[in-house]
Amino acid sequence: MKSPQRVLITGAGSGLGQALAHRFAAAGAQVACVDINLDRVQATMATLTGEGHAAYAADVGSDDAMDALAESVLANWGVPDVLINNAGIASGGDVLEAPISEWRHLWEVNVLSVVRGTKLFLPAMLQRGSGHVVSTASFAGLAGAPGLMTYGVSKAAVVAFSEQLRAECNGTGIDVSVICPAFFKTNLMQSTVGTEKIKHLGQKMMDRSPDSLDQVADRIFADINKRRFLIIPTKNEPMLWRIKRFFPDWYYSKLIERAGDMQLRLK
């Protein structure tokens, strides 16, 4: 009898991480739910179908916390078949608005968390000869849009990391995916750092999104199972990505036009 798939998800206490945990559990997987808030992640685990799940509290922005997490997971729960580096925070603002402290904070939580998770769990996957590393970036990391400097740059780094990791893992049995959604209806703004203007802008973008959390989670879950590398799960963004690739100047002009319209609506 085939053993159940093991899936470890950071940021599983709410939002997209929680939604993915439900989908993997419903498909028969054992899910290790990780969040900075133990009560929140235990609540997620209590709602999962099936058995063999585990809850862990860890700050993905801390070397020590992630080292302790990996030690406990590998000793007591097992080697993940799928590692989903999902935890992160939102931010925004122009380059001159964001203090250096915000850049450092975003780098630790959004970028180095992905590096930490990968470095800690990939060796055991390589030894086994199979695995899948999935990291949540954002369409902001592809779009090059103004007003999201710290967030967009941090998520672009996650995309670049995933691209290079994919190449490094070629032929090893390890698949790599990166998730790039635009804003959709979730609770991301609760962890947003930056100005009130940016929080207001982010909430406006979420409220106007045509995508629900369940729709996005369904698309991501399907694409992870297909081992797709670039996962763009929101409705309008796959076409925008194609336009940027093939018509970059036209894309840029429309991007600036849309950004100006958004600023006018916020005044």
Side-chain angles (χ1 to χ4, degrees):
M1 183 176 176
K2 187 177 179 181
S3 300
Q5 186 182 48
R6 289 192 178 101
V7 181
L8 187 148
I9 306 173
T10 66
S14 63
L16 179 59
Q18 184 181 74
L20 291 175
H22 284 139
R23 281 154 180 76
F24 277 103
Q30 296 177 345
V31 184
C33 301
V34 182
D35 197 271
I36 195 170
N37 185 307
L38 182 59
D39 291 340
R40 196 163 58 187
V41 79
Q42 286 177 333
T44 295
M45 194 179 75
T47 64
L48 299 181
T49 57
E51 56 187 24
H53 310 307
Y56 297 91
D59 177 0
V60 297
S62 163
D63 292 344
D64 291 342
M66 288 297 287
D67 287 346
L69 170 70
E71 183 178 353
S72 181
V73 166
L74 295 174
N76 302 310
W77 186 75
V79 179
D81 297 292
V82 183
L83 166 66
I84 304 181
N85 295 307
N86 171 71
I89 57 175
S91 66
D94 299 333
V95 65
L96 299 180
E97 289 181 312
I100 290 297
S101 59
E102 183 177 313
W103 284 94
R104 290 196 179 100
H105 187 41
L106 265 290
W107 207 256
E108 288 289 350
V109 177
N110 285 1
V111 183
L112 293 183
S113 65
V114 173
V115 178
R116 290 182 185 100
T118 302
K119 286 177 68 67
L120 290 167
F121 292 104
L122 181 59
M125 291 181 175
L126 288 169
Q127 185 175 17
R128 184 182 55 201
S130 65
H132 192 176
V133 178
V134 182
S135 301
T136 300
S138 167
F139 195 73
L142 302 173
L148 294 169
M149 181 59 75
T150 52
Y151 185 69
V153 171
S154 72
K155 292 303 187 178
V158 175
V159 175
F161 175 83
S162 300
E163 288 178 337
Q164 293 184 218
L165 180 66
R166 182 191 189 194
E168 287 188 5
C169 289
N170 182 52
T172 66
I174 308 299
D175 292 301
V176 177
S177 299
V178 61
I179 306 168
C180 295
F183 285 101
F184 59 96
K185 297 176 178 70
T186 185
N187 61 350
L188 179 65
M189 301 315 295
Q190 294 178 9
S191 63
T192 300
V193 299
T195 66
E196 288 303 317
K197 181 183 78 172
I198 289 303
K199 294 176 184 179
H200 180 56
L201 172 61
Q203 193 60 56
K204 282 265 189 183
M205 294 171 73
M206 283 187 179
D207 292 343
R208 292 173 178 167
S209 170
D211 303 284
S212 70
L213 171 60
D214 283 336
Q215 289 171 329
V216 171
D218 284 343
R219 294 165 191 158
I220 292 171
F221 178 70
D223 282 351
I224 289 175
N225 286 325
K226 293 173 185 175
R227 297 299 195 266
R228 181 163 291 167
F229 171 67
L230 181 61
I231 300 173
I232 304 179
T234 42
K235 182 178 179 181
N236 296 325
E237 281 61 43
M239 180 57 69
L240 291 175
W241 175 233
R242 293 186 187 97
I243 292 170
K244 182 183 179 183
R245 290 179 64 197
F246 295 111
F247 307 99
D249 291 338
W250 188 80
Y251 169 86
Y252 177 73
S253 68
K254 292 299 179 182
L255 176 72
I256 296 304
E257 180 181 309
R258 183 177 179 184
D261 291 343
M262 178 66 72
Q263 290 300 322
L264 286 174
R265 286 197 293 268
L266 288 173
K267 288 181 179 179

